[in-house]
Amino acid sequence: MVILGVLIFFARIIDVSLDTLRLKSMIRGKKYIVSLIAFVEIIVYTLGASQAFKYVMHPTVLIFYACGYAAGNYIGMIIDDKLSRDSIYVLVVANHDEWSLADTLREQGFAVTTAKGYGMNGSEKSQLILIVKKKQFRELTKLIQEFDPTAYVVSMDVKDMKR
């Protein structure tokens, strides 16, 4: 039963990782890749699930099935991060000396666009707008937090970008 559990575990890792990549590709509008991933994913899922459902009442199989699902989510996200060269849109609303923050970020090599906005109580706020590679996001947020720990940082995937 343990060998079957291990096989089901790895089948779940594969199909759930593929599911994660399929969803990310769908969001990015990659139709052909989505279709190919879906084809492979459903074959692996069907083979693994059919074996798991035969022995669903056996605790070992159930544990391996659940662990494979959890590990598949984790591994799928890691794979997506490694494959992703995508850019993200970052909006920063700083509460303290935002113009100096913009200059500091520029000195560190980040391209920053600034705009004025108005908060809920009508107070003027500065918005810092950046488009960075995902790999740079951690460095960027670290710099922002060091400069202003109360700053709001919002990020979104960029689907299309034209220069």
Side-chain angles (χ1 to χ4, degrees):
M1 213 39 76
V2 172
I3 293 173
L4 177 63
V6 170
L7 291 173
I8 290 169
F9 173 78
F10 284 111
R12 288 303 287 164
I13 287 176
I14 293 167
D15 91 77
V16 174
S17 296
L18 287 172
D19 185 51
T20 302
L21 297 175
R22 181 181 55 81
L23 289 172
K24 295 292 264 183
S25 296
M26 191 180 299
I27 290 167
R28 294 180 183 123
K30 299 181 180 194
K31 297 176 189 96
Y32 298 113
I33 292 174
V34 168
S35 298
L36 180 62
I37 292 172
F39 178 80
V40 174
E41 175 193 349
I42 200 63
I43 289 172
V44 174
Y45 170 78
T46 303
L47 293 172
S50 66
Q51 293 305 305
F53 293 155
K54 281 183 192 176
Y55 302 98
V56 74
M57 297 309 290
H58 197 285
T60 304
V61 171
L62 188 58
I63 300 260
F64 275 110
Y65 188 82
C67 288
Y69 183 78
N73 278 287
Y74 183 78
I75 291 171
M77 292 174 70
I78 289 173
I79 292 170
D80 180 61
D81 284 345
K82 297 288 183 197
L83 293 176
S84 181
R85 297 192 184 334
D86 292 340
S87 298
I88 55 173
Y89 171 92
V90 181
L91 172 66
V92 181
V93 179
N95 293 311
H96 306 292
D97 203 11
E98 50 271 65
W99 302 112
S100 294
L101 174 57
D103 290 339
T104 300
L105 294 175
R106 287 181 183 119
E107 288 170 8
Q108 296 298 316
F110 291 99
V112 181
T113 300
T114 56
K116 287 185 183 180
Y118 298 92
M120 187 167 71
N121 62 5
S123 63
E124 186 176 291
K125 297 281 186 179
S126 296
Q127 300 174 0
L128 310 180
I129 302 163
L130 303 92
I131 295 180
V132 299
K133 297 288 184 189
K134 278 188 176 180
K135 293 178 181 178
Q136 296 175 300
F137 184 68
R138 182 173 287 166
E139 176 190 354
L140 174 66
T141 54
K142 183 179 175 192
L143 288 168
I144 293 167
Q145 288 300 306
E146 287 173 1
F147 195 90
D148 182 359
T150 64
Y152 291 96
V153 179
V154 179
S155 67
M156 296 172 271
D157 282 339
V158 175
K159 180 181 173 190
D160 293 314
M161 186 169 63
K162 312 236 183 321
R163 291 183 188 235

